[in-house]
């Protein structure tokens, strides 16, 4: 079985400050890890993924995430938040070499960036 | 290139009625998935098509839900009869045949059963 935990329902940051959206996972094997974002009235958009290699992955809109195997975490980060980053963020995990649609998602974290 | 499109974007129906959701995947994507998010919780897998065949329907909640993908192109998800607990956002996603990719999602259909 695989699972994802996003411990914070809401994250609030001021524009220009760094942001972190937390994600921990559980999977019996090597994971694929993903972050998706949902802007208001839009679909889920892919942000970034970790498969193998460098633990720090860079994605769209200046976001990055760090894979930490010992802590089973994949926190999403951005050095300087923008108001336009305000959205709902989902972390997802699936086993390596499984189909793209077999991902398990977290409950989502609402990020609010205030000017 | 067009993305995954879903129709309608919103639907409000009464308990006991029937609703059909449609998903048009990205052209050429063999894999098509349905998910739903209810009550602000996690996005849960419903089922997976490979072309017109149901590969995995382990996430379908009960037999009031029927998904089809005739011809291996667009897919429909019918709820009949709808119950209050079916309210939520239904997402469709597609991916190409290769396994090392992410899924591409549509904008979702927000279903409200009253």
């Amino acid at each position: 079985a695989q699972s994802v935990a996003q411990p914070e329902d809401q994250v609030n940051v001021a524009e220009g400050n760094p942001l972190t959206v937390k994600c921990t996972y559980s999977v019996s094997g090597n994971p694929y890890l993903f972050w998706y974002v949902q802007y208001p009235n839009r679909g889920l958009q892919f942000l970034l993924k970790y498969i193998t290699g460098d633990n720090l992955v860079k994605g769209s809109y200046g976001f990055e995430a760090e894979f930490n195997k010992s802590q089973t975490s994949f926190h999403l980060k951005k050095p300087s938040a923008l108001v336009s980053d305000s959205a709902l963020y989902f972390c997802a995990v699936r086993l390596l070499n499984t189909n793209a649609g077999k991902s398990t998602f977290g409950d989502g974290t609402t990020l609010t960036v205030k000017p | 290139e067009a993305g995954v499109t879903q129709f309608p974007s919103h639907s409000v129906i009464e308990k006991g009625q029937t609703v059909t959701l449609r998903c048009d995947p990205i052209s050429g994507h063999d894999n098509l998935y349905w998910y739903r998010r209810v009550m602000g919780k996690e996005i849960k897998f419903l089922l997976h098509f490979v072309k017109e065949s149901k590969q995995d329907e382990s996430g379908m909640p009960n037999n009031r839900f029927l998904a089809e993908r005739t011809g291996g192109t667009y897919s429909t998800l019918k709820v009949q009869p709808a119950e209050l607990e079916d309210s939520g956002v239904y997402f469709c996603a597609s991916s190409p045949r290769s396994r090392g990719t992410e899924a591409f999602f549509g904008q979702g259909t927000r279903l409200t059963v009253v």
Side-chain angles (χ1 to χ4, degrees):
Chain A
Q2 55 197 39
S3 65
V4 173
Q6 293 181 241
E8 301 156 318
D9 289 337
Q10 291 244 348
V11 171
N12 299 311
V13 298
E15 188 173 32
N17 283 1
L19 70 87
T20 298
V21 183
K22 295 179 180 177
C23 171
T24 59
Y25 68 91
S26 173
V27 66
S28 54
N30 292 318
Y32 279 156
L33 291 154
F34 301 81
W35 276 101
Y36 285 86
V37 59
Q38 185 179 20
Y39 297 103
N41 301 313
R42 302 286 296 277
L44 287 170
Q45 293 181 34
F46 168 77
L47 266 184
L48 52 79
K49 65 182 175 185
Y50 170 82
I51 301 178
T52 59
D54 196 349
N55 288 346
L56 184 65
V57 293
K58 295 185 183 297
S60 306
Y61 312 120
F63 283 93
E64 58 188 30
E66 185 167 11
F67 170 63
N68 187 317
K69 188 172 183 177
S70 62
Q71 296 184 5
T72 61
S73 67
F74 190 57
H75 302 329
L76 182 70
K77 299 183 180 185
K78 186 171 181 179
S80 179
L82 299 173
V83 173
S84 57
D85 293 330
S86 298
L88 180 58
Y89 291 80
F90 291 95
C91 181
V93 67
R94 74 173 195 260
L95 278 173
L96 206 65
N97 294 324
T98 57
N99 194 283
K102 294 298 290 184
S103 298
T104 298
F105 287 81
D107 287 356
T109 298
T110 299
L111 172 67
T112 302
V113 181
K114 296 186 177 179
Chain B
E1 178 184 294
V4 177
T5 56
Q6 293 185 245
F7 182 82
S9 56
H10 294 85
S11 180
V12 181
I13 62 170
E14 292 184 351
K15 176 182 173 180
Q17 288 186 323
T18 297
V19 63
T20 300
L21 314 181
R22 173 170 169 147
C23 168
D24 287 73
I26 292 173
S27 178
H29 281 191
D30 288 346
N31 295 296
L32 186 149
Y33 320 92
W34 283 99
Y35 292 85
R36 97 176 154 175
R37 184 173 191 243
V38 298
M39 299 289 290
K41 302 299 288 181
E42 74 270 28
I43 298 169
K44 281 194 171 181
F45 168 83
L46 295 179
L47 87 158
H48 169 211
F49 284 98
V50 177
K51 297 185 179 180
E52 67 275 9
S53 300
K54 289 178 186 175
Q55 184 79 9
D56 180 350
E57 49 185 329
S58 61
M60 294 287 264
N62 52 61
N63 59 11
R64 295 185 293 103
F65 289 75
L66 175 64
E68 295 179 321
R69 192 183 182 195
T70 307
T73 55
Y74 71 91
S75 174
T76 57
L77 179 64
K78 181 190 287 188
V79 186
Q80 179 183 29
E83 297 289 343
L84 298 178
E85 64 265 24
D86 301 332
S87 296
V89 181
Y90 289 77
F91 290 102
C92 175
S94 70
S95 71
R97 188 176 302 176
S98 59
R99 286 189 161 184
T101 65
E102 66 276 12
F104 296 85
F105 283 78
Q107 81 279 14
T109 294
R110 181 173 295 279
L111 174 64
T112 303
V113 183
V114 297

